[in-house]
mmCIF file of all heavy atoms in Angstrom:
data_model
loop_
_atom_site.group_PDB
_atom_site.id
_atom_site.type_symbol
_atom_site.label_atom_id
_atom_site.label_comp_id
_atom_site.label_asym_id
_atom_site.label_seq_id
_atom_site.Cartn_x
_atom_site.Cartn_y
_atom_site.Cartn_z
ATOM 1 N N LEU A 192 -15.417 4.311 3.245
ATOM 2 C CA LEU A 192 -15.897 3.732 4.488
ATOM 3 C C LEU A 192 -14.791 3.175 5.337
ATOM 4 O O LEU A 192 -14.926 3.098 6.579
ATOM 5 C CB LEU A 192 -16.919 2.620 4.164
ATOM 6 C CG LEU A 192 -18.253 3.064 3.571
ATOM 7 C CD1 LEU A 192 -19.148 1.873 3.226
ATOM 8 C CD2 LEU A 192 -18.991 3.978 4.535
ATOM 9 N N SER A 193 -13.690 2.813 4.726
ATOM 10 C CA SER A 193 -12.533 2.273 5.450
ATOM 11 C C SER A 193 -11.529 3.370 5.834
ATOM 12 O O SER A 193 -10.480 3.082 6.400
ATOM 13 C CB SER A 193 -11.827 1.188 4.630
ATOM 14 O OG SER A 193 -12.700 0.165 4.262
ATOM 15 N N ASP A 194 -11.853 4.618 5.463
ATOM 16 C CA ASP A 194 -11.003 5.779 5.744
ATOM 17 C C ASP A 194 -9.594 5.583 5.164
ATOM 18 O O ASP A 194 -8.576 5.766 5.846
ATOM 19 C CB ASP A 194 -10.921 6.045 7.270
ATOM 20 C CG ASP A 194 -10.275 7.384 7.602
ATOM 21 O OD1 ASP A 194 -10.328 8.283 6.733
ATOM 22 O OD2 ASP A 194 -9.679 7.515 8.704
ATOM 23 N N LEU A 195 -9.531 5.184 3.905
ATOM 24 C CA LEU A 195 -8.279 4.951 3.234
ATOM 25 C C LEU A 195 -7.934 6.124 2.313
ATOM 26 O O LEU A 195 -8.779 6.831 1.781
ATOM 27 C CB LEU A 195 -8.337 3.684 2.409
ATOM 28 C CG LEU A 195 -8.684 2.382 3.146
ATOM 29 C CD1 LEU A 195 -8.709 1.205 2.175
ATOM 30 C CD2 LEU A 195 -7.732 2.134 4.288
ATOM 31 N N HIS A 196 -6.621 6.282 2.086
ATOM 32 C CA HIS A 196 -6.110 7.343 1.214
ATOM 33 C C HIS A 196 -4.966 6.759 0.408
ATOM 34 O O HIS A 196 -4.108 6.023 0.917
ATOM 35 C CB HIS A 196 -5.607 8.525 2.023
ATOM 36 C CG HIS A 196 -6.668 9.107 2.928
ATOM 37 N ND1 HIS A 196 -7.529 10.103 2.542
ATOM 38 C CD2 HIS A 196 -7.031 8.758 4.199
ATOM 39 C CE1 HIS A 196 -8.363 10.404 3.548
ATOM 40 N NE2 HIS A 196 -8.072 9.589 4.541
ATOM 41 N N PHE A 197 -4.925 7.085 -0.878
ATOM 42 C CA PHE A 197 -3.845 6.552 -1.721
ATOM 43 C C PHE A 197 -2.564 7.332 -1.459
ATOM 44 O O PHE A 197 -2.539 8.573 -1.531
ATOM 45 C CB PHE A 197 -4.202 6.655 -3.207
ATOM 46 C CG PHE A 197 -3.188 5.969 -4.086
ATOM 47 C CD1 PHE A 197 -3.082 4.612 -4.118
ATOM 48 C CD2 PHE A 197 -2.331 6.764 -4.878
ATOM 49 C CE1 PHE A 197 -2.138 3.979 -4.923
ATOM 50 C CE2 PHE A 197 -1.405 6.136 -5.696
ATOM 51 C CZ PHE A 197 -1.295 4.753 -5.703
ATOM 52 N N VAL A 198 -1.527 6.595 -1.164
ATOM 53 C CA VAL A 198 -0.195 7.205 -0.886
ATOM 54 C C VAL A 198 0.726 6.752 -2.041
ATOM 55 O O VAL A 198 1.166 5.572 -2.081
ATOM 56 C CB VAL A 198 0.360 6.708 0.478
ATOM 57 C CG1 VAL A 198 1.734 7.352 0.704
ATOM 58 C CG2 VAL A 198 -0.627 7.070 1.576
ATOM 59 N N PRO A 199 1.048 7.643 -2.991
ATOM 60 C CA PRO A 199 1.788 7.277 -4.197
ATOM 61 C C PRO A 199 3.137 6.614 -3.893
ATOM 62 O O PRO A 199 3.506 5.644 -4.534
ATOM 63 C CB PRO A 199 1.954 8.586 -4.933
ATOM 64 C CG PRO A 199 0.847 9.431 -4.476
ATOM 65 C CD PRO A 199 0.638 9.068 -3.039
ATOM 66 N N GLU A 200 3.898 7.143 -2.929
ATOM 67 C CA GLU A 200 5.210 6.602 -2.657
ATOM 68 C C GLU A 200 5.176 5.176 -2.093
ATOM 69 O O GLU A 200 6.202 4.463 -2.144
ATOM 70 C CB GLU A 200 6.010 7.511 -1.702
ATOM 71 C CG GLU A 200 5.379 7.714 -0.332
ATOM 72 C CD GLU A 200 4.447 8.916 -0.276
ATOM 73 O OE1 GLU A 200 3.934 9.314 -1.360
ATOM 74 O OE2 GLU A 200 4.250 9.408 0.843
ATOM 75 N N ARG A 201 4.035 4.745 -1.607
ATOM 76 C CA ARG A 201 3.884 3.374 -1.100
ATOM 77 C C ARG A 201 3.041 2.538 -2.064
ATOM 78 O O ARG A 201 2.910 1.308 -1.837
ATOM 79 C CB ARG A 201 3.259 3.382 0.280
ATOM 80 C CG ARG A 201 4.128 4.084 1.311
ATOM 81 C CD ARG A 201 3.424 4.133 2.672
ATOM 82 N NE ARG A 201 4.194 4.892 3.661
ATOM 83 C CZ ARG A 201 5.017 4.358 4.543
ATOM 84 N NH1 ARG A 201 5.193 3.041 4.597
ATOM 85 N NH2 ARG A 201 5.683 5.130 5.385
ATOM 86 N N ASN A 202 2.498 3.172 -3.069
ATOM 87 C CA ASN A 202 1.619 2.475 -4.050
ATOM 88 C C ASN A 202 0.581 1.643 -3.311
ATOM 89 O O ASN A 202 0.362 0.472 -3.630
ATOM 90 C CB ASN A 202 2.444 1.617 -5.022
ATOM 91 C CG ASN A 202 1.701 1.434 -6.364
ATOM 92 O OD1 ASN A 202 0.924 2.247 -6.761
ATOM 93 N ND2 ASN A 202 1.970 0.322 -7.008
ATOM 94 N N ALA A 203 -0.086 2.276 -2.366
ATOM 95 C CA ALA A 203 -1.049 1.569 -1.542
ATOM 96 C C ALA A 203 -2.103 2.524 -1.014
ATOM 97 O O ALA A 203 -1.854 3.745 -0.921
ATOM 98 C CB ALA A 203 -0.347 0.921 -0.361
ATOM 99 N N TYR A 204 -3.256 1.966 -0.678
ATOM 100 C CA TYR A 204 -4.293 2.713 0.006
ATOM 101 C C TYR A 204 -4.071 2.519 1.515
ATOM 102 O O TYR A 204 -4.066 1.384 1.998
ATOM 103 C CB TYR A 204 -5.674 2.265 -0.409
ATOM 104 C CG TYR A 204 -6.061 2.666 -1.781
ATOM 105 C CD1 TYR A 204 -5.693 1.925 -2.910
ATOM 106 C CD2 TYR A 204 -6.801 3.833 -2.018
ATOM 107 C CE1 TYR A 204 -6.018 2.311 -4.197
ATOM 108 C CE2 TYR A 204 -7.135 4.220 -3.296
ATOM 109 C CZ TYR A 204 -6.765 3.461 -4.368
ATOM 110 O OH TYR A 204 -7.125 3.855 -5.679
ATOM 111 N N CYS A 205 -3.878 3.632 2.226
ATOM 112 C CA CYS A 205 -3.380 3.542 3.610
ATOM 113 C C CYS A 205 -4.283 4.307 4.584
ATOM 114 O O CYS A 205 -5.102 5.138 4.190
ATOM 115 C CB CYS A 205 -1.978 4.127 3.690
ATOM 116 S SG CYS A 205 -0.784 3.425 2.526
ATOM 117 N N ARG A 206 -4.089 3.997 5.854
ATOM 118 C CA ARG A 206 -4.663 4.765 6.967
ATOM 119 C C ARG A 206 -3.692 4.649 8.129
ATOM 120 O O ARG A 206 -2.710 3.846 8.089
ATOM 121 C CB ARG A 206 -6.013 4.233 7.326
ATOM 122 C CG ARG A 206 -6.064 2.788 7.845
ATOM 123 C CD ARG A 206 -7.498 2.339 8.019
ATOM 124 N NE ARG A 206 -7.588 0.922 8.420
ATOM 125 C CZ ARG A 206 -8.702 0.243 8.466
ATOM 126 N NH1 ARG A 206 -9.843 0.786 8.124
ATOM 127 N NH2 ARG A 206 -8.692 -1.045 8.867
ATOM 128 N N LEU A 207 -3.910 5.423 9.173
ATOM 129 C CA LEU A 207 -3.064 5.356 10.326
ATOM 130 C C LEU A 207 -3.564 4.208 11.261
ATOM 131 O O LEU A 207 -4.731 4.077 11.478
ATOM 132 C CB LEU A 207 -3.038 6.684 11.087
ATOM 133 C CG LEU A 207 -2.474 7.892 10.300
ATOM 134 C CD1 LEU A 207 -2.554 9.141 11.183
ATOM 135 C CD2 LEU A 207 -1.028 7.626 9.867
ATOM 136 N N ASP A 208 -2.603 3.456 11.825
ATOM 137 C CA ASP A 208 -2.996 2.432 12.780
ATOM 138 C C ASP A 208 -3.091 3.034 14.177
ATOM 139 O O ASP A 208 -2.978 4.255 14.365
ATOM 140 C CB ASP A 208 -2.004 1.268 12.739
ATOM 141 C CG ASP A 208 -0.613 1.641 13.169
ATOM 142 O OD1 ASP A 208 -0.409 2.705 13.798
ATOM 143 O OD2 ASP A 208 0.325 0.846 12.888
ATOM 144 N N ASP A 209 -3.302 2.185 15.170
ATOM 145 C CA ASP A 209 -3.504 2.669 16.560
ATOM 146 C C ASP A 209 -2.271 3.370 17.112
ATOM 147 O O ASP A 209 -2.395 4.113 18.110
ATOM 148 C CB ASP A 209 -3.887 1.507 17.468
ATOM 149 C CG ASP A 209 -5.232 0.888 17.091
ATOM 150 O OD1 ASP A 209 -6.057 1.613 16.459
ATOM 151 O OD2 ASP A 209 -5.472 -0.305 17.422
ATOM 152 N N HIS A 210 -1.106 3.132 16.507
ATOM 153 C CA HIS A 210 0.123 3.755 16.978
ATOM 154 C C HIS A 210 0.535 4.992 16.147
ATOM 155 O O HIS A 210 1.577 5.564 16.377
ATOM 156 C CB HIS A 210 1.276 2.737 16.943
ATOM 157 C CG HIS A 210 0.979 1.494 17.739
ATOM 158 N ND1 HIS A 210 1.022 1.446 19.120
ATOM 159 C CD2 HIS A 210 0.679 0.222 17.312
ATOM 160 C CE1 HIS A 210 0.711 0.216 19.504
ATOM 161 N NE2 HIS A 210 0.499 -0.520 18.445
ATOM 162 N N GLY A 211 -0.334 5.332 15.210
ATOM 163 C CA GLY A 211 -0.042 6.502 14.378
ATOM 164 C C GLY A 211 0.897 6.203 13.190
ATOM 165 O O GLY A 211 1.359 7.133 12.547
ATOM 166 N N ASP A 212 1.145 4.923 12.931
ATOM 167 C CA ASP A 212 1.994 4.536 11.817
ATOM 168 C C ASP A 212 1.156 4.279 10.575
ATOM 169 O O ASP A 212 -0.034 3.972 10.673
ATOM 170 C CB ASP A 212 2.774 3.261 12.148
ATOM 171 C CG ASP A 212 3.740 3.496 13.323
ATOM 172 O OD1 ASP A 212 4.321 4.594 13.411
ATOM 173 O OD2 ASP A 212 3.890 2.567 14.145
ATOM 174 N N ILE A 213 1.773 4.421 9.391
ATOM 175 C CA ILE A 213 1.094 4.142 8.138
ATOM 176 C C ILE A 213 0.792 2.665 8.005
ATOM 177 O O ILE A 213 1.656 1.809 8.169
ATOM 178 C CB ILE A 213 1.949 4.585 6.941
ATOM 179 C CG1 ILE A 213 2.157 6.119 6.943
ATOM 180 C CG2 ILE A 213 1.316 4.151 5.639
ATOM 181 C CD1 ILE A 213 0.890 6.906 6.669
ATOM 182 N N ASP A 214 -0.460 2.364 7.759
ATOM 183 C CA ASP A 214 -0.919 0.987 7.598
ATOM 184 C C ASP A 214 -1.367 0.798 6.159
ATOM 185 O O ASP A 214 -2.344 1.421 5.710
ATOM 186 C CB ASP A 214 -2.080 0.713 8.578
ATOM 187 C CG ASP A 214 -2.478 -0.747 8.590
ATOM 188 O OD1 ASP A 214 -1.698 -1.579 8.108
ATOM 189 O OD2 ASP A 214 -3.586 -1.049 9.101
ATOM 190 N N LYS A 215 -0.665 -0.070 5.414
ATOM 191 C CA LYS A 215 -0.978 -0.290 3.989
ATOM 192 C C LYS A 215 -2.094 -1.353 3.910
ATOM 193 O O LYS A 215 -1.844 -2.557 3.976
ATOM 194 C CB LYS A 215 0.268 -0.758 3.230
ATOM 195 C CG LYS A 215 1.335 0.322 3.169
ATOM 196 C CD LYS A 215 2.515 -0.105 2.298
ATOM 197 C CE LYS A 215 3.345 -1.172 2.980
ATOM 198 N NZ LYS A 215 4.574 -1.472 2.217
ATOM 199 N N VAL A 216 -3.337 -0.871 3.803
ATOM 200 C CA VAL A 216 -4.482 -1.782 3.834
ATOM 201 C C VAL A 216 -4.676 -2.463 2.459
ATOM 202 O O VAL A 216 -4.943 -3.652 2.388
ATOM 203 C CB VAL A 216 -5.769 -1.013 4.199
ATOM 204 C CG1 VAL A 216 -6.990 -1.892 4.118
ATOM 205 C CG2 VAL A 216 -5.620 -0.430 5.615
ATOM 206 N N VAL A 217 -4.525 -1.716 1.379
ATOM 207 C CA VAL A 217 -4.622 -2.263 0.033
ATOM 208 C C VAL A 217 -3.266 -2.022 -0.644
ATOM 209 O O VAL A 217 -2.873 -0.898 -0.850
ATOM 210 C CB VAL A 217 -5.741 -1.606 -0.804
ATOM 211 C CG1 VAL A 217 -5.799 -2.218 -2.220
ATOM 212 C CG2 VAL A 217 -7.083 -1.791 -0.089
ATOM 213 N N ARG A 218 -2.582 -3.099 -0.974
ATOM 214 C CA ARG A 218 -1.275 -2.982 -1.632
ATOM 215 C C ARG A 218 -1.406 -3.306 -3.108
ATOM 216 O O ARG A 218 -2.061 -4.288 -3.500
ATOM 217 C CB ARG A 218 -0.260 -3.959 -0.983
ATOM 218 C CG ARG A 218 0.095 -3.605 0.442
ATOM 219 C CD ARG A 218 1.371 -4.333 0.823
ATOM 220 N NE ARG A 218 1.229 -5.790 0.823
ATOM 221 C CZ ARG A 218 2.244 -6.637 0.667
ATOM 222 N NH1 ARG A 218 3.465 -6.195 0.443
ATOM 223 N NH2 ARG A 218 2.013 -7.949 0.709
ATOM 224 N N ILE A 219 -0.764 -2.484 -3.901
ATOM 225 C CA ILE A 219 -0.680 -2.709 -5.354
ATOM 226 C C ILE A 219 0.784 -2.987 -5.677
ATOM 227 O O ILE A 219 1.638 -2.093 -5.663
ATOM 228 C CB ILE A 219 -1.179 -1.488 -6.149
ATOM 229 C CG1 ILE A 219 -2.605 -1.140 -5.715
ATOM 230 C CG2 ILE A 219 -1.123 -1.731 -7.666
ATOM 231 C CD1 ILE A 219 -3.129 0.148 -6.303
ATOM 232 N N VAL A 220 1.090 -4.244 -5.945
ATOM 233 C CA VAL A 220 2.456 -4.661 -6.123
ATOM 234 C C VAL A 220 2.691 -5.065 -7.582
ATOM 235 O O VAL A 220 2.005 -5.941 -8.117
ATOM 236 C CB VAL A 220 2.795 -5.859 -5.194
ATOM 237 C CG1 VAL A 220 4.262 -6.279 -5.351
ATOM 238 C CG2 VAL A 220 2.455 -5.507 -3.750
ATOM 239 N N THR A 221 3.675 -4.425 -8.184
ATOM 240 C CA THR A 221 3.997 -4.692 -9.577
ATOM 241 C C THR A 221 5.331 -5.433 -9.681
ATOM 242 O O THR A 221 6.341 -5.024 -9.108
ATOM 243 C CB THR A 221 4.091 -3.393 -10.423
ATOM 244 O OG1 THR A 221 2.840 -2.714 -10.344
ATOM 245 C CG2 THR A 221 4.438 -3.681 -11.867
ATOM 246 N N PHE A 222 5.313 -6.541 -10.365
ATOM 247 C CA PHE A 222 6.496 -7.338 -10.565
ATOM 248 C C PHE A 222 6.990 -7.137 -12.000
ATOM 249 O O PHE A 222 6.270 -7.363 -12.964
ATOM 250 C CB PHE A 222 6.202 -8.862 -10.368
ATOM 251 C CG PHE A 222 5.790 -9.194 -8.973
ATOM 252 C CD1 PHE A 222 4.451 -9.372 -8.661
ATOM 253 C CD2 PHE A 222 6.720 -9.351 -7.976
ATOM 254 C CE1 PHE A 222 4.053 -9.709 -7.385
ATOM 255 C CE2 PHE A 222 6.336 -9.671 -6.681
ATOM 256 C CZ PHE A 222 4.982 -9.856 -6.382
ATOM 257 N N PRO A 223 8.246 -6.667 -12.179
ATOM 258 C CA PRO A 223 8.763 -6.441 -13.541
ATOM 259 C C PRO A 223 9.120 -7.753 -14.198
ATOM 260 O O PRO A 223 9.285 -8.810 -13.541
ATOM 261 C CB PRO A 223 10.035 -5.600 -13.273
ATOM 262 C CG PRO A 223 10.470 -6.031 -11.890
ATOM 263 C CD PRO A 223 9.221 -6.302 -11.106
ATOM 264 N N ASP A 224 9.209 -7.732 -15.515
ATOM 265 C CA ASP A 224 9.673 -8.902 -16.258
ATOM 266 C C ASP A 224 11.085 -9.235 -15.813
ATOM 267 O O ASP A 224 11.911 -8.333 -15.590
ATOM 268 C CB ASP A 224 9.657 -8.660 -17.746
ATOM 269 C CG ASP A 224 8.243 -8.469 -18.271
ATOM 270 O OD1 ASP A 224 7.290 -8.779 -17.535
ATOM 271 O OD2 ASP A 224 8.075 -8.058 -19.445
ATOM 272 N N LYS A 225 11.373 -10.508 -15.697
ATOM 273 C CA LYS A 225 12.711 -10.887 -15.271
ATOM 274 C C LYS A 225 13.136 -12.141 -16.030
ATOM 275 O O LYS A 225 12.666 -13.258 -15.738
ATOM 276 C CB LYS A 225 12.720 -11.187 -13.743
ATOM 277 C CG LYS A 225 14.101 -11.502 -13.193
ATOM 278 C CD LYS A 225 14.007 -11.715 -11.656
ATOM 279 C CE LYS A 225 15.385 -12.024 -11.068
ATOM 280 N NZ LYS A 225 15.300 -12.254 -9.615
ATOM 281 N N GLY A 226 14.004 -11.947 -17.024
ATOM 282 C CA GLY A 226 14.447 -13.085 -17.834
ATOM 283 C C GLY A 226 13.276 -13.706 -18.563
ATOM 284 O O GLY A 226 12.513 -13.026 -19.275
ATOM 285 N N ASP A 227 13.105 -15.013 -18.362
ATOM 286 C CA ASP A 227 11.989 -15.734 -18.957
ATOM 287 C C ASP A 227 10.697 -15.594 -18.140
ATOM 288 O O ASP A 227 9.652 -16.129 -18.540
ATOM 289 C CB ASP A 227 12.328 -17.204 -19.132
ATOM 290 C CG ASP A 227 13.480 -17.414 -20.135
ATOM 291 O OD1 ASP A 227 13.632 -16.564 -21.027
ATOM 292 O OD2 ASP A 227 14.203 -18.419 -19.991
ATOM 293 N N GLU A 228 10.794 -14.927 -17.010
ATOM 294 C CA GLU A 228 9.631 -14.785 -16.143
ATOM 295 C C GLU A 228 8.903 -13.497 -16.434
ATOM 296 O O GLU A 228 9.474 -12.408 -16.324
ATOM 297 C CB GLU A 228 10.071 -14.841 -14.679
ATOM 298 C CG GLU A 228 8.934 -14.780 -13.699
ATOM 299 C CD GLU A 228 9.418 -14.834 -12.256
ATOM 300 O OE1 GLU A 228 10.579 -15.295 -12.046
ATOM 301 O OE2 GLU A 228 8.677 -14.458 -11.353
#
């Protein structure tokens, strides 16, 4: 319904905005382990 498409290289569900640019509507962000974090 939101006209989204998964774009692997951006790890996001995207669509084109009014200027024809990629708009990352749903972002999937992975944080790697870092030291004690």
Side-chain angles (χ1 to χ4, degrees):
L192 291 176
S193 303
D194 192 24
L195 303 180
H196 304 269
F197 186 71
V198 180
E200 60 269 24
R201 297 176 185 263
N202 205 27
Y204 287 86
C205 307
R206 62 187 177 190
L207 297 180
D208 64 17
D209 295 337
H210 303 287
D212 297 323
I213 295 291
D214 187 16
K215 295 185 288 187
V216 175
V217 179
R218 292 198 296 156
I219 304 173
V220 182
T221 300
F222 297 99
D224 294 348
K225 185 178 180 181
D227 294 333
E228 183 179 341

